[in-house]
Amino acid sequence: LDAQELEAPVPIDQEPLKRLWQEIARLPAKEAHAVLRCEIQGISPVIVAQELGISTANVYLLEHRARQRLRLYLSQDRGKALKYSERNG
């Protein structure tokens, strides 16, 4: 996953969407890859699993962890998000 893949696919003027892209960029690389490919680009988890060299079940796990982390990152309480990130690296 490179920096170009983390850029928004279209110019974004809306602050919430900008923030979402910023927070996706903060995710661990495999979580970001899974979320971008499956959730945003609509690629099958089977294909993403092959790209990452992991099982399909692990792709679902990465997506789940990424969604949890994004919920925390986007919440008002930034302190909780940072604690979660430190615990779950």
Side-chain angles (χ1 to χ4, degrees):
L1 195 64
D2 61 33
Q4 187 176 11
E5 289 179 295
L6 292 177
E7 291 179 17
V10 295
I12 296 177
D13 294 326
Q14 299 173 1
E15 192 59 36
L17 291 177
K18 272 183 168 178
R19 182 145 180 245
L20 175 61
W21 283 104
Q22 290 169 344
E23 300 303 351
I24 288 172
R26 288 181 59 201
L27 292 172
K30 285 186 177 183
E31 287 180 20
H33 186 95
V35 146
L36 287 171
R37 298 289 282 152
C38 295
E39 302 290 332
I40 301 200
Q41 296 175 340
I43 304 300
S44 163
V46 173
I47 296 198
V48 175
Q50 292 170 349
E51 292 172 355
L52 294 173
I54 61 176
S55 70
T56 304
N58 279 335
V59 171
Y60 289 116
L61 181 61
L62 288 171
E63 287 182 273
H64 173 73
R65 288 180 179 164
R67 283 191 299 272
Q68 282 183 319
R69 213 180 290 268
L70 287 171
R71 260 187 231 107
L72 287 170
Y73 287 168
L74 294 169
S75 72
Q76 295 298 322
D77 189 350
R78 301 281 294 169
K80 284 184 183 176
L82 292 175
K83 286 179 187 173
Y84 177 87
S85 181
E86 290 167 2
R87 274 195 326 261
N88 297 296

